[in-house]
Amino acid sequence: MDEFMRVLILTLTCFYLASCATGEAFKRLNVNKDAAQLYIYKTMGLGGEFPSANLVFINNQEMTTLLSGNYVVHTLPDGEHQIDIFKVNYFSNKKGNLIYSEKFNLEKGKVYFLKGSSIRLGLTKHMSIGGQDYRLVDKEKALNELPSMKLSNKA
């Protein structure tokens, strides 16, 4: 397959994924006193990044396909949980490279926020090279960013 066709397919796939971001907008934080809650969200990159998708696994089980500009909430029992996030391979629609892996000891009644963002090593106005980064953020930062997110469908 020549380079033009690969770029065309990737571009069309990105536009399709962007059109899927039609979930409910974030309104308010709901705290569950009997379980831990993990909000995972992915911001759009600076400069109008093409939407991208990540597969979220919790304890080795696929939970969510998370698109740029979306969030998801997982209610989990307290204890240790393994969070793994993979890029989506656009050509096979399967799990790509691992981009984040961490074990968390979650406590019931607490809310955690895991933010994904693009790292742009932008070289020109029209082209950038970069990756993605996920990290825990504080409640204040998350509550400032979540209102611009749409709820993602769970797997």
Side-chain angles (χ1 to χ4, degrees):
M1 181 182 292
D2 69 356
E3 188 66 22
F4 174 76
M5 286 303 293
R6 288 175 39 166
V7 170
L8 179 63
I9 290 170
L10 179 59
T11 301
L12 292 174
T13 301
C14 289
F15 283 123
Y16 169 75
L17 290 173
S19 70
C20 296
T22 58
E24 184 179 323
F26 177 83
K27 292 183 183 137
R28 65 184 172 92
L29 188 65
N30 295 313
V31 178
N32 183 334
K33 298 197 184 300
D34 298 322
Q37 288 183 292
L38 176 63
Y39 281 76
I40 304 174
Y41 67 101
K42 187 168 185 246
T43 60
M44 293 292 287
L46 299 174
E49 160 207 7
F50 278 123
S52 61
N54 296 138
L55 296 175
V56 177
F57 283 71
I58 299 178
N59 301 324
N60 296 314
Q61 179 180 357
E62 185 177 344
M63 302 298 283
T64 307
T65 299
L66 187 63
L67 303 174
S68 299
N70 281 211
Y71 78 97
V72 68
V73 183
H74 293 286
T75 301
L76 302 164
D78 58 337
E80 190 172 85
H81 297 278
Q82 176 69 39
I83 311 298
D84 296 309
I85 301 176
F86 297 85
K87 287 176 106 176
V88 171
N89 183 330
Y90 290 107
F91 297 107
S92 66
N93 202 26
K94 298 210 187 270
K95 188 166 55 170
N97 295 335
L98 178 68
I99 57 174
Y100 180 84
S101 183
E102 191 74 41
K103 278 189 181 176
F104 292 103
N105 191 18
L106 305 180
E107 298 177 37
K108 71 179 180 178
K110 290 195 175 183
V111 181
Y112 302 86
F113 303 94
L114 185 60
K115 173 187 177 181
S117 57
S118 293
I119 304 169
R120 292 194 49 136
L121 306 173
L123 304 174
T124 70
K125 179 180 175 185
H126 301 289
M127 186 175 93
S128 68
I129 300 170
Q132 297 173 46
D133 179 46
Y134 279 84
R135 63 184 62 206
L136 283 175
V137 296
D138 63 43
K139 179 180 177 180
E140 183 179 339
K141 181 172 185 61
L143 292 179
N144 283 331
E145 295 176 325
L146 280 167
S148 66
M149 305 287 146
K150 301 278 188 191
L151 183 63
S152 181
N153 294 327
K154 294 185 181 179

